[in-house]
Amino acid sequence: MALHIVASCTSCWACLPLCPHEAISVARPHFQIDSARCTECAGDYADPQCASICPIEGAIVDSTGQALNPPGSLTGLSPVNHPNSPFQSLT
Amino acid sequence: MELLSQPPVNGSSPALHPCYSEQAHRHFARLHLAVAPACNIQCHYCNRKYDCSNESRPGVVSEVLNPEQATMKALAVGAAIPHLAVVGVAGPGDPLANPERLFATFRELAVKAPDLTLCVSTNGLALPEQVDELVKYRIGHVTITINCVDPDIGAKIYPWIFWNHRRIRGRKAAEILIAQQQKGLEMLVERGVLVKVNSVLIPGINDEHLHEVHRVVKAKGAFLHNLMPLIARPEHGTYFGLTGQAEPTEEQLRVMQEAWVGGEGETQMMNHCQQCRADAVGMLGQDRGAEFTMDKVATMQVDWQAALEKRTTVRQTIERRMALQSQFLDKVAKKPIPLPVRRPRTIAPQTLRMAVGSADGRTIDAHFGHLREFLIYDVSSDGVHLVERRRTDRYCSGPTTCGDAAPALSDTIRALDDCAVLLCSRIGFEPWRPLEEAGIQPNSEHANETIDAALAAVYREWRDSGRLDVEDTALSRSSA
Ligand code: SF4
Ligand code: SF4
């Protein structure tokens, strides 16, 4: 049970000080979660802290690769006008 | 920007703050340190992915510093620019969402550069819990961005906040944010800290509502209220940019500012606020950030004690000069701060409106091609009035005009449309013709003269040749 940070992370620092297990570290090219330490915040908080402040959709995923903040969930931008959307070129 | 109240006696003087005082911002420099990367809210006009060194939107920086680097940078800048007076933290996230980084920086600076005024600019969410810590570091000024006092309007501006270990969305999020902002404002005023309120004008969302915001923050004792135009371009990838939200027109901004000035009480408008980058260095309107990147700072040998002494001497000299100037201005004109808002009805007949290119704010020292900002003066038989400081590249309008490149000539001509003369130290052959055809007479004959002398000379020339009678420039153009 651990979350992972993926390439879209902008290294904004927001998550790092919040982790109750100091599982998050500064790394290149992006921040990293130590899976041995991450508990997904179970027992500490109702929601995983890193994923609750992360401003980037898709930057934090669970062990199955599912984004905790899927496209549109943070910016409110629908898939069509989302900057990374394949629909973008059609509009 | 509107001056709402007299500064508290025990607060630090806004007269020395280049963001607050028209006079000070020509003499003193300020530095913004990008030590605060994290943010605790999302605004629809911000894209947290953006990090382009050609970007000049507020809140966008290219180099995030750790507290040691930030201190090093401040001391290096303070040694190289002895008229440095203010060090602020404004981003790229929210300073108070990064309290350890912020206060570690301030702790060091309080020891090694105790003369510098420290200030922060915040969204206000974490303000109440940090107020007392801020006061410890002699924080002279806090800027809070307040776009609404109504949660229904807030829900259209803020998609979420991070609060008490949860992400909160919608109206509830706005309600908490607004309550925290108002509480923070009250607590700061109580403790004698100057508070500037920034409001982003978002047409169709909070334009009418900002009058209410103005009333509330004024009543609570905010020192200044500053209107910022929304920046919403698709290429910035923000929610507002991508959903076609309109930016305010110059006219909308002007009407709003005039309504506030017209209110009861002793109020004055200032218009020199720049939406400067969060890591800006130098005088307002003159970004010297490139001279102080971290790799350059790391090689600088800084004697912070000597720098402190030098700054103290420079400051005393500047303060003496400013005092003399205000005495002079008091005599010449009744108002010490020139009114920046264009109000054609108050312009004397036979007024000549001129645009001046000046980097130091005193002499005609700037090359036309490098100018992004002009000082606009009205000269008449009544004397010389600084109307405002006007940017010609308000925001980059595309990759070709973005960043350090000069703004497009057409933008400059549009921005200076009401001016009859343009004074600068040099101007190329190419822009000369189009300017002249647009009725803006370029003039580089007064290079390196003081602005006042040059304005007077051009005015006399126009008056004596009878051109003022033919073209009543400021009147006929700006009232159109
Ligand atoms: S889910 Fe919780 S424990 Fe795991 S990295 Fe994020 S904050 Fe740390
Ligand atoms: S909050 Fe998200 S974007 Fe920021 S450092 Fe953590 S994972 Fe990266």
Side-chain angles (χ1 to χ4, degrees):
Chain A
M1 258 219 340
L3 300 184
H4 303 276
I5 294 175
V6 300
S8 52
C9 160
T10 61
S11 304
C12 80
W13 281 85
C15 55
L16 187 138
L18 298 178
C19 175
H21 301 292
E22 295 182 11
I24 306 172
S25 58
V26 181
R28 300 222 165 223
H30 54 77
F31 281 35
Q32 256 179 10
I33 293 175
D34 177 351
S35 354
R37 297 183 139 223
C38 173
T39 60
E40 297 192 9
C41 287
D44 293 298
Y45 297 105
D47 304 322
Q49 293 301 286
C50 52
S52 299
I53 198 167
C54 179
I56 306 296
E57 291 162 356
I60 299 181
V61 299
D62 65 16
S63 46
T64 69
Q66 282 287 319
L68 275 86
N69 299 301
S73 66
L74 302 182
T75 55
L77 286 165
S78 70
V80 176
N81 52 18
H82 200 277
N84 301 330
S85 159
F87 299 104
Q88 186 67 6
S89 53
L90 304 177
T91 55
Chain B
M1 195 179 327
E2 183 185 1
L3 208 56
L4 295 176
S5 59
Q6 287 306 307
V9 250
N10 57 349
S12 36
S13 163
L16 296 185
H17 195 301
C19 300
Y20 289 9
S21 152
E22 174 83 37
Q23 200 193 7
H25 99 276
R26 302 218 204 147
H27 295 293
F28 288 113
R30 54 78 181 95
L31 162 70
H32 282 179
L33 295 173
V35 266
C39 197
N40 47 12
I41 71 171
Q42 175 71 52
C43 308
H44 273 329
Y45 45 76
C46 175
N47 176 359
R48 302 302 315 281
K49 272 189 215 157
Y50 229 98
D51 189 3
C52 152
S53 56
N54 278 335
E55 251 306 318
S56 55
R57 279 181 309 141
V60 177
V61 287
S62 40
E63 195 182 27
V64 172
L65 308 177
N66 64 39
E68 297 72 42
Q69 292 173 317
T71 312
M72 239 163 92
K73 180 165 178 171
L75 294 175
V77 172
I81 304 181
H83 51 274
L84 182 71
V86 175
V87 172
V89 175
D94 189 86
L96 302 182
N98 302 260
E100 297 85 6
R101 301 168 72 96
L102 175 75
F103 292 122
T105 309
F106 280 2
R107 247 192 314 277
E108 273 296 293
L109 289 180
V111 174
K112 295 188 172 157
D115 60 318
L116 299 177
T117 296
L118 304 174
C119 59
V120 298
S121 181
T122 176
N123 61 45
L125 182 63
L127 187 51
E129 68 202 63
Q130 305 288 1
V131 162
D132 287 316
E133 193 65 18
L134 284 171
V135 171
K136 270 194 213 155
Y137 293 98
R138 315 166 296 114
I139 293 289
H141 315 85
V142 172
T143 303
I144 316 175
T145 302
I146 300 181
N147 298 323
C148 56
V149 289
D150 174 344
D152 288 318
I153 293 175
K156 296 181 191 155
I157 304 172
Y158 308 104
W160 57 264
I161 66 170
F162 179 76
W163 176 251
N164 275 346
H165 300 289
R166 309 195 81 138
R167 199 189 306 266
I168 313 241
R169 300 164 194 269
R171 193 180 188 281
K172 176 90 185 132
E175 208 172 87
I176 296 168
L177 177 63
I178 291 167
Q180 290 291 100
Q181 291 172 335
Q182 294 299 319
K183 188 167 167 206
L185 166 60
E186 289 160 21
M187 291 172 76
L188 287 167
V189 171
E190 250 170 50
R191 286 159 180 74
V193 179
L194 292 179
V195 183
K196 179 175 95 175
V197 172
N198 276 348
S199 294
V200 181
L201 175 58
I202 312 167
I205 292 186
N206 72 351
D207 40 358
E208 282 307 309
H209 178 63
L210 282 185
H211 293 298
E212 172 69 4
V213 172
H214 183 66
R215 199 186 55 71
V216 170
V217 302
K218 187 173 177 173
K220 291 200 173 157
F223 171 59
L224 289 162
H225 191 191
N226 183 35
L227 198 60
M228 326 266 286
L230 171 72
I231 305 167
R233 302 282 165 90
E235 62 269 29
H236 295 151
T238 62
Y239 176 86
F240 282 150
L242 290 169
T243 54
Q245 166 65 46
E247 295 179 353
T249 61
E250 289 291 335
E251 180 65 10
Q252 281 170 314
L253 284 166
R254 191 183 56 80
V255 166
M256 197 85 170
Q257 285 176 328
E258 282 196 335
W260 293 356
V261 167
E264 75 289 350
E266 184 74 20
T267 55
Q268 282 175 320
M269 293 284 296
M270 289 192 276
N271 200 27
H272 60 268
C273 178
Q274 312 277 323
Q275 297 194 10
C276 42
R277 293 163 53 122
D279 64 350
V281 176
M283 311 288 257
L284 285 179
Q286 181 200 344
D287 191 340
R288 294 178 57 183
E291 293 167 43
F292 299 98
T293 54
M294 222 39 236
D295 48 341
K296 289 182 190 160
V297 165
T299 65
M300 294 178 190
Q301 294 294 324
V302 176
D303 178 343
W304 56 267
Q305 263 154 332
L308 171 59
E309 280 163 34
K310 176 111 186 263
R311 282 197 304 272
T312 312
T313 324
V314 167
R315 171 191 291 245
Q316 283 161 355
T317 317
I318 294 176
E319 279 173 6
R320 264 199 307 277
R321 201 187 321 148
M322 279 173 56
L324 284 173
Q325 272 180 1
S326 4
Q327 278 170 17
F328 173 74
L329 285 169
D330 278 341
K331 260 185 255 155
V332 176
K334 276 139 244 116
K335 287 211 186 311
I337 299 171
L339 276 177
V341 178
R342 270 166 277 168
R343 276 193 266 195
R345 63 187 175 279
T346 63
I347 294 174
Q350 297 206 325
T351 296
L352 186 58
R353 178 162 290 183
M354 296 188 250
V356 171
S358 171
D360 69 0
R362 251 182 0 94
T363 56
I364 314 270
D365 61 355
H367 189 303
F368 176 78
H370 302 154
L371 281 164
R372 299 148 153 251
E373 183 186 70
F374 292 85
L375 301 171
I376 308 295
Y377 285 92
D378 275 348
V379 187
S380 70
S381 51
D382 285 355
V384 174
H385 292 274
L386 175 63
V387 179
E388 66 184 352
R389 182 169 271 264
R390 194 180 294 170
R391 283 188 80 100
T392 51
D393 67 329
R394 197 152 64 96
Y395 317 109
C396 64
S397 52
T400 50
T401 58
C402 193
D404 294 333
L409 183 59
S410 56
D411 289 344
T412 306
I413 290 179
R414 212 173 312 123
L416 300 182
D417 168 51
D418 55 341
C419 301
V421 178
L422 186 161
L423 289 164
C424 54
S425 70
R426 278 176 62 199
I427 177 165
F429 182 69
E430 244 168 60
W432 190 286
R433 270 281 293 282
L435 279 162
E436 213 171 34
E437 277 163 15
I440 306 166
Q441 182 61 55
N443 184 330
S444 55
E445 289 162 28
H446 299 278
N448 301 320
E449 288 175 24
T450 65
I451 294 175
D452 287 352
L455 291 173
V458 176
Y459 177 77
R460 270 196 302 274
E461 201 180 296
W462 275 58
R463 186 193 57 198
D464 298 345
S465 66
R467 279 180 82 181
L468 283 182
D469 303 318
V470 185
E471 294 175 61
D472 198 351
T473 63
L475 264 184
S476 58
R477 287 168 185 239
S478 60
S479 56

